[in-house]
Amino acid sequence: MAPLESNGLGNSWFKIYEQGFNVERNMWCTDIVRENHGKLSVMIPTKISNGEYILRPEMIALHNARRLGEAQFYPSCVQLSVTGATGGSPKMYSIDKLYSPTEPGILFDKKNGGASYVIPGPPVYSP
């Protein structure tokens, strides 16, 4: 998420959710979303400021990710209004520096199994 007035530029993004491989269900998050007819519920943190935000969900396709530069990114953006929040200061990141092409969650061989998958990017904001 990023405050709308930032236009998503610079250190304005913070992560509110992540899911890769669900060990209990033996399923990737994409399979869970597919099973749920394209839906995924995510809680917006209350320890942020009220206001307008950009929410940027992203899925990373890993079927070719064993080769450098072959992970496929599928982002989307929506605008939302946050009301009833209690304030907070999440650590912000620049979206163009979130991933390295060689980090384990981007360069990954699915044949090694989902349990070994390390989700890329910054940590989830946890006030």
Side-chain angles (χ1 to χ4, degrees):
M1 282 181 64
L4 183 63
E5 69 266 7
S6 73
N7 289 321
L9 301 174
N11 291 335
S12 60
W13 293 92
F14 59 100
K15 187 188 282 189
I16 64 167
Y17 179 83
E18 66 182 13
Q19 185 175 0
F21 187 78
N22 185 308
V23 176
E24 292 82 33
R25 296 192 61 198
N26 196 33
M27 295 175 79
W28 289 94
C29 183
T30 51
D31 298 320
I32 294 168
V33 170
R34 200 173 302 120
E35 177 183 83
N36 223 9
H37 306 288
K39 297 177 187 171
L40 180 70
S41 295
V42 175
M43 295 294 294
I44 304 296
T46 58
K47 298 231 184 246
I48 60 176
S49 298
N50 289 321
E52 301 293 312
Y53 285 86
I54 305 165
L55 178 68
R56 183 184 179 270
E58 174 183 71
M59 290 195 175
I60 304 172
L62 300 171
H63 56 282
N64 289 324
R66 69 185 175 281
R67 294 188 300 268
L68 186 65
E70 294 292 321
Q72 297 174 18
F73 299 87
Y74 295 93
S76 182
C77 287
V78 297
Q79 182 178 336
L80 57 94
S81 294
V82 172
T83 59
T86 60
S89 299
K91 181 168 170 122
M92 304 289 205
Y93 299 88
S94 179
I95 205 162
D96 64 337
K97 296 179 177 111
L98 287 182
Y99 310 128
S100 158
T102 57
E103 72 179 273
I106 302 299
L107 185 59
F108 177 75
D109 190 345
K110 283 180 70 176
K111 292 177 186 171
N112 293 333
S116 67
Y117 184 67
V118 177
I119 297 171
V124 173
Y125 172 53
S126 179

